[in-house]
Structures are given as structure tokens and as C-alpha cells.
Amino acid sequence: MAAGPYSEKVMDHFMNPRNVGEIDGADGVGEVGNPACGDMMRLYLKIDGGTVVDAKFRTFGCGAAIASSSMLTEMIKGKTVEEARAISNQHVADALDGLPAVKIHCSVMAEQAVKSALDDYDKKHAV
Amino acid sequence: MTKAFFDHISTTPLDPRVFEAMRPYFLDRYGNPSSHIHDQGQAALRAVDQARSEVASLIGAKAGEIVFSSGATESNNLAVLGAAEGAGAGKRHVVVSDVEHFSVMNALIPLRNAGYEVTILPVDRNGVVDPDAVRKALRADTALLSVMHANAEIGTIEPIGPIGRIAKEAGVTFHVDATASAGHLPLDVREIPADLVTLSAHNFYGPKGAGALYIREGTKVAPRSFGGFQEMGYRAGTENVPAVVGMGAAAILAKSEMGAWAEHLSRLGKTLWDGLAAIPMLHYTGHPAERLPGHVSFWVEHVEGESLLLFLNMKGVMAASGSACSSNLRGHDEEDLVASPVLRAIGVPTDICTGSITFSLGKGNTADEVRLALDAMPGIVERLRAMSPTYLDYQKQQGKGG
């Protein structure tokens, strides 16, 4: 169900967020925040053989932030680390059938969260 | 599904009696009040004059002291810019409180650009302006003091009586933005030495697009729009006659019924306030006692305001937030995301400002509707906290695990 400026897809992911939670012993954890509005996103990744096999999140934020987090986790599961790193905020926003201009920063937060989690993974697995 | 509208501070539904008063002026009495040589024009002029008397009677003013406008924003603009300019070349200082509406605050931008000095009065943690601070801020070159009657976001009622007396002693023009309070709280300009008072019809069950500025006789105000000589020269342009008539009708109803409305709203508001107190880590904002009847504002730790409002809306409960994320959805970019200036003024940190919620009750609300909100709130808060990393961290700090 669409609500105000949000698409039906945003509202679906907001009302029924996928992959909420934590991953014990996550291979990569990323956390980003937006000081302008106080939103915070924490992303947990399980990576096996260079592939993201599981992704979970916890987010404090508005409808767009929660929907972006949920969509991101759906998008990166099954992707290689390289493919996951290539996900941009525009990919997330497009997958949600768009976000209001003022909420684009929520999809940027999703992009930053996956990059941050993959940086953490790289650090933990540096040879 | 039962629906409950608790956003009356943004607008109130039109009272059907007001609508009936307006109806003829859309269809039958369509004359232009400025074209009063014929019957149609005369009927319109009489209607506008009657409405002027009705609005005046709401605040104890004379009819000739009421200037109709398109609403609170235009009235506030006219008050601030018009009074500053009208005060003359030697007066280049303006004083406003830190919790004024954007239509007052943003009117200061052209004044600053024109070389005016602006003093912003701080408020305490309840949002109250200290009259002593007003006394210290006023100067010989002060053109205008603007302090609102009640704040829409946190409900706090300002001590405009003592503040007005200080302004009068200092010979400073005093503007009161009564947008949130007019029609709900008594305000009599024979007792409160306000020189300018902003009124908005749709905030007391009248139509949108109708407002007024009370201008005390003798107050110097320069016009902001130019054209014909409508509205005593302060505001050019053909009056919106149906809206003006509606504002008059709404003013008459408010004058006779505001006491009963306030009693009803206070009773329901207390039920809401007491019920919400059961939610852990919920903090009320605004003054605990000196506040608009039926106005309940708060923030909830680890819960973001817009998310809470979206879930409430799904349950049929419509409330508002002062948060950046919900109030600027029509903004163009991230620069439009600013935490509520009112909450910042009362010392609430930016990240917490996003959790601000305002329930503003109206005369049509019922106890069942309040119960609907109270039943919905705990589950929504719990659900959002379960998603929040900050709540997870809090639980870990408390030794409760994740």
C-alpha cells in the first residue's frame, strides 16, 4: 500500500522488512549514520567463498531508511563481494521504485553500509 | 476501519455550520465588495463588514482593526515586515523568540539583508520565553517584538500578558502570532497590550486560505502588497468573500463554544497523556501545565518519528511530527533536512529531534479514538525498537542481551 510520497514497494519493505536482525560471527559489519537526521544503519554480512550468503540489518530511521536497508539485504544476498561492492544508491532507489528527493540520502546510507561492511570483511581477511 | 485524526494543529475540519454560512457566497452572492454600486456588490460588502465585526469580537477588537489576509503566513509577513518598515528609519532592531513559526523567522531574512539587527530570545526547556529576557533585549531603536501565543509543536503557552506590558512600557510594537491559539484560548486585546495579532481561520474550524491581522489603532504598518485600496490599504486585492464569511462564522462559534471545546479536549488529552506514560523512555515536550488544551507532544527513545507516524497511520491514527524526516518530504535535497528548530531551541539533541511526535486533538475526537491510539502505540514502539541498533546497544549496556 502506497503512503504519501512513498511507492508501494517502499511501503512493503517498510511494513514487512526482510532480514532484520544480527548475524553471530558476521564476516563483515558496517555501520553508517546520517548526522542531519539521526538515522543509523548497521549491516551484518556472512560471506563464504567470496559470496554474500547472508545479510541482516538493524536500522534506526524513517520509512525510506528501513526500506532501503531491507531492499539492500535482498539485493546483495547471493552476490560476489565484487558485485556487492558495485551496488550504488541508485540501484537501491531504483529497486524501490524510487524515493522522494529528500530521502535519497537513505539509499546513500545503504550504499555506504555495504561498502563499510565489505571494508570490515577485507580487514578481517587481510593476508 | 476506525480513523482518528489527531493533527488539528495543522488544520481543523470545517464546521458544517461554517460551511452553510459560506455556501451562498459561492453561488448566489458572488459580488465583489469593491463594486458596491449594485445589489450584488453591496451584499458582498455587507458580508465582509459583518465578518470583520465577528472576527474582531473574538479578540475584543474593533472591526476597523481587522485586516483580512490569505492566512497566518501572510499575516505574519505583514506584521513583521510591515511593522519594521512602518516604525521608521531610526528603528532598525527586531526581537523575536527562538520558537516562532517559519513565517516569522523567514520574514527576518529580508530585514537582515536590509541592515536590521535581530535579537533571538532563548526559551527554557519547556519552551517558555522569560519576560526579564524580553526587558533586557528591548532597546530605544527596537521596531518590533514578536512572541507567539502558543507553540504548535510543543503546545507551550507563552506569558504574553507580562511580555506585552514590558513592550508597552518600552514603546515597542508587540506582535503576537496566535495562529495555534486563536479560537481555543481566550485572548482579549483590551487586556493584552498586543499591537498586532495573527489569526488563522482553518485552525479553529474555519476555511483554509482565510486569515486576519489585528492592527491596533495607531500602529504604524507599511503595506506589503499594492494595488487597490482593499483592506484599508494594507492588503490590496479582491477579498475572498466566502472564506472571509467563513472566518467570521468560525469566530462566532469559537467565541461561544471554546470553553466547552477546551473542557472536552483537556479531558481527552489527559487520558492520552496518562496512557502514553506507560511506554518506557517516552519523554513529553513543552510545558506540563501551561499548554494548549488537547495537545500532547513527546519523543520516544530509540524510535524515529516518521516511522512511528507511518505505522500509526496504518492503524488509522493520524498524528504529526516535528521531525526533519517527516516534515520535509517535499524538500528537494538533504539540505532540507533540519531538525525541528523548536526542539533544538528547548535543548533536545538533533538525533533525538527525529522522534518528536505531536498529537493535537479536536472537538470531534472521542474517547474511543484516543483508545485506538493508546492501543496501537506500545506495539509500534516495540516493533521499531526491535529494528533499532541504538536500542540493541542500549539493551546490551543494560545487560539484557540482544
Side-chain angles (χ1 to χ4, degrees):
Chain A
M1 175 183 175
Y6 289 141
S7 69
E8 285 188 20
K9 215 172 249 183
V10 170
M11 285 309 292
D12 177 34
H13 277 265
F14 169 67
M15 297 296 289
N16 310 291
R18 285 68 149 170
N19 309 307
V20 175
E22 296 168 88
I23 296 175
D24 285 337
D27 296 302
V29 179
E31 182 173 297
V32 289
N34 185 318
C37 63
D39 287 0
M40 186 192 284
M41 186 183 296
R42 192 178 293 164
L43 179 68
Y44 304 85
L45 299 180
K46 190 77 187 167
I47 297 172
D48 190 9
T51 299
V52 178
V53 294
D54 198 9
K56 290 195 183 298
F57 78 93
R58 283 186 186 266
T59 292
F60 170 88
C62 60
I66 289 170
S68 294
S69 310
S70 170
M71 179 56 83
L72 174 76
T73 55
E74 288 285 88
M75 289 172 77
I76 60 176
K77 279 203 282 188
K79 284 199 163 49
T80 65
V81 167
E82 290 73 26
E83 288 169 338
R85 196 181 285 280
I87 287 176
S88 71
N89 78 295
Q90 194 59 51
H91 293 134
V92 176
D94 288 347
L96 289 168
D97 291 342
L99 288 170
V102 76
K103 297 293 190 174
I104 289 295
H105 73 280
C106 295
S107 62
V108 172
M109 210 160 67
E111 178 188 321
Q112 291 171 339
V114 71
K115 285 182 169 51
S116 168
L118 289 172
D119 286 348
D120 183 49
Y121 167 75
D122 286 346
K123 232 181 282 174
K124 284 175 178 166
H125 293 79
V127 181
Chain B
M1 182 171 71
T2 305
K3 297 248 182 191
F5 184 79
F6 295 127
D7 189 17
H8 293 85
I9 205 72
S10 71
T11 196
T12 53
L14 192 73
D15 189 297
R17 294 168 291 179
V18 173
F19 179 65
E20 287 309 318
M22 293 170 68
R23 186 196 291 270
Y25 294 92
F26 285 112
L27 301 172
D28 304 323
R29 296 175 213 159
Y30 45 80
N32 184 331
S34 297
S35 184
H36 48 83
I37 195 71
H38 51 64
D39 289 355
Q40 273 290 358
Q42 284 170 20
L45 182 61
R46 276 197 303 274
V48 169
D49 283 347
Q50 184 183 330
R52 205 181 302 283
S53 298
E54 291 166 346
V55 171
S57 76
L58 180 63
I59 57 169
K62 298 172 195 162
E65 295 173 315
I66 298 296
V67 173
F68 286 115
S69 71
S70 63
T73 292
E74 187 188 333
S75 293
N76 279 343
N77 282 194
L78 175 60
V80 173
L81 296 168
E85 191 182 329
K91 300 211 169 190
R92 308 282 284 178
H93 178 230
V94 173
V95 181
V96 303
S97 91
D98 203 8
V99 291
E100 295 302 305
H101 187 261
F102 284 121
S103 53
V104 168
M105 289 301 199
N106 287 344
L108 300 174
I109 295 169
L111 287 183
R112 281 193 172 106
N113 291 341
Y116 283 79
E117 196 181 333
V118 175
T119 298
I120 308 284
L121 294 166
V123 294
D124 67 15
R125 57 191 292 276
N126 290 327
V128 179
V129 176
D130 179 1
D132 282 338
V134 174
R135 193 187 305 278
K136 287 173 189 156
L138 299 184
R139 312 188 314 212
D141 65 340
T142 304
L144 176 74
L145 164 69
S146 184
V147 177
M148 60 176 32
H149 191 189
N151 187 277
E153 193 172 332
I154 57 172
T156 296
I157 299 168
E158 300 294 347
I160 56 167
I163 289 172
R165 286 189 280 281
I166 290 165
K168 191 175 183 186
E169 284 166 19
V172 170
T173 298
F174 179 38
H175 169 234
V176 173
D177 175 4
T179 303
S181 62
H184 303 283
L185 298 175
L187 171 61
D188 192 321
V189 293
R190 291 166 297 192
E191 295 166 11
I192 305 289
D195 302 300
L196 304 162
V197 178
T198 291
L199 307 167
S200 169
H202 76 99
N203 290 79
F204 54 94
Y205 310 103
K208 294 170 185 64
L213 181 66
Y214 159 76
I215 303 178
R216 186 181 292 277
E217 212 167 28
T219 306
K220 289 177 183 161
V221 176
R224 303 301 307 162
S225 65
F226 304 93
F229 198 72
Q230 292 91 348
E231 298 305 301
M232 290 86 83
Y234 290 110
R235 200 253 190 182
T238 301
E239 288 90 347
N240 182 351
V241 178
V244 162
V245 167
M247 185 169 191
I252 290 297
L253 289 178
K255 190 180 174 188
S256 63
E257 298 180 7
M258 80 165 73
W261 296 348
E263 197 181 313
H264 174 67
L265 297 185
S266 297
R267 192 168 55 247
L268 286 187
K270 185 178 184 313
T271 304
L272 183 59
W273 183 289
D274 292 346
L276 289 172
I279 293 173
M281 292 184 281
L282 182 145
H283 306 270
Y284 294 106
T285 54
H287 198 284
E290 294 299 318
R291 57 187 304 116
L292 287 166
H295 187 289
V296 180
S297 54
F298 57 90
W299 58 276
V300 188
E301 286 186 60
H302 311 294
V303 173
E304 197 273 343
E306 186 204 276
S307 290
L308 178 55
L309 292 174
L310 286 170
F311 272 120
L312 280 171
N313 188 50
M314 291 297 162
K315 300 273 187 186
V317 177
M318 290 165 270
S321 170
S323 91
C325 280
S326 65
S327 58
N328 288 287
L329 278 172
R330 287 184 179 174
H332 299 294
D333 53 40
E334 202 173 339
E335 293 298 307
D336 294 319
L337 284 170
V338 288
S340 154
V342 173
L343 293 181
R344 279 189 301 178
I346 62 172
V348 179
T350 302
D351 56 340
I352 291 171
C353 287
T354 60
S356 160
I357 301 290
T358 294
F359 280 80
S360 46
L361 278 53
K363 66 187 174 81
N365 284 136
T366 65
D368 284 346
E369 290 172 348
V370 169
R371 178 51 50 199
L372 181 70
L374 289 174
D375 287 346
M377 277 287 292
I380 294 171
V381 168
E382 196 177 322
R383 187 170 177 175
L384 288 169
R385 279 181 176 157
M387 254 190 282
S388 169
T390 64
Y391 189 61
L392 178 72
D393 294 345
Y394 166 79
Q395 283 184 310
K396 284 180 177 167
Q397 280 167 15
Q398 300 295 308
K400 293 177 184 170

